[in-house]
Amino acid sequence: MTVEIVGYENAGLTASVDMIQQFSRTTSSYDELLGLFPPTGSQIDAVIEQISRWHPPVSVRLSIRPADLESLVWSCDFCGEPIELSPGGDALVLDSRSNDGPGSHTLISHRRCLAERIHPENGGERARALTVGKAH
């Protein structure tokens, strides 16, 4: 399988496709079967499900599940409830990096979950957590 992430062709990424759900269920139609198991040589769309930068090279996990192509949902790392990462969703993707070494860690959060964890005296940061990335 060859993977091309548009805009990142020369970034030195490794990629994998999450196939667990495909093998753990039955399909209800031929179109659904083709969506989960595309024919050899076909070109398909995928969504980025997870990015790991803990150790080089950067690892990207892709999903071709039809439901993820419609609306990618993940769990909030603070409250554990589902959160939509697709455009229009309420997710924040937080990268934490150290100032003294390589690697980073990614957290997925509801805006409110992050805002609730910011110290009350830091009202500006709380307000930004609730609005960052939203169109005005």
Side-chain angles (χ1 to χ4, degrees), residues 21-34:
Q21 185 181 22
Q22 280 87 323
F23 293 118
S24 65
R25 58 182 285 226
T26 60
T27 57
S28 60
S29 70
Y30 184 69
D31 287 339
E32 184 181 7
L33 179 69
L34 286 178

Side-chain angles (χ1 to χ4, degrees), residues 18-81:
D18 183 0
M19 298 294 288
I20 294 169
Q21 185 181 22
Q22 280 87 323
F23 293 118
S24 65
R25 58 182 285 226
T26 60
T27 57
S28 60
S29 70
Y30 184 69
D31 287 339
E32 184 181 7
L33 179 69
L34 286 178
L36 293 173
F37 299 99
T40 301
S42 52
Q43 186 173 6
I44 60 170
D45 289 330
V47 293
I48 296 174
E49 185 176 64
Q50 192 173 34
I51 299 173
S52 174
R53 291 179 282 264
W54 194 254
H55 299 288
V58 172
S59 175
V60 178
R61 184 174 177 169
L62 304 172
S63 174
I64 62 172
R65 293 185 297 251
D68 289 343
L69 294 172
E70 293 294 321
S71 175
L72 183 59
V73 176
W74 203 255
S75 295
C76 175
D77 287 317
F78 291 118
C79 72
E81 295 295 318

Side-chain angles (χ1 to χ4, degrees), residues 83-103:
I83 184 169
E84 185 175 343
L85 283 112
S86 302
D90 195 39
L92 292 177
V93 180
L94 311 165
D95 280 334
S96 61
R97 295 184 177 98
S98 172
N99 65 350
D100 62 355

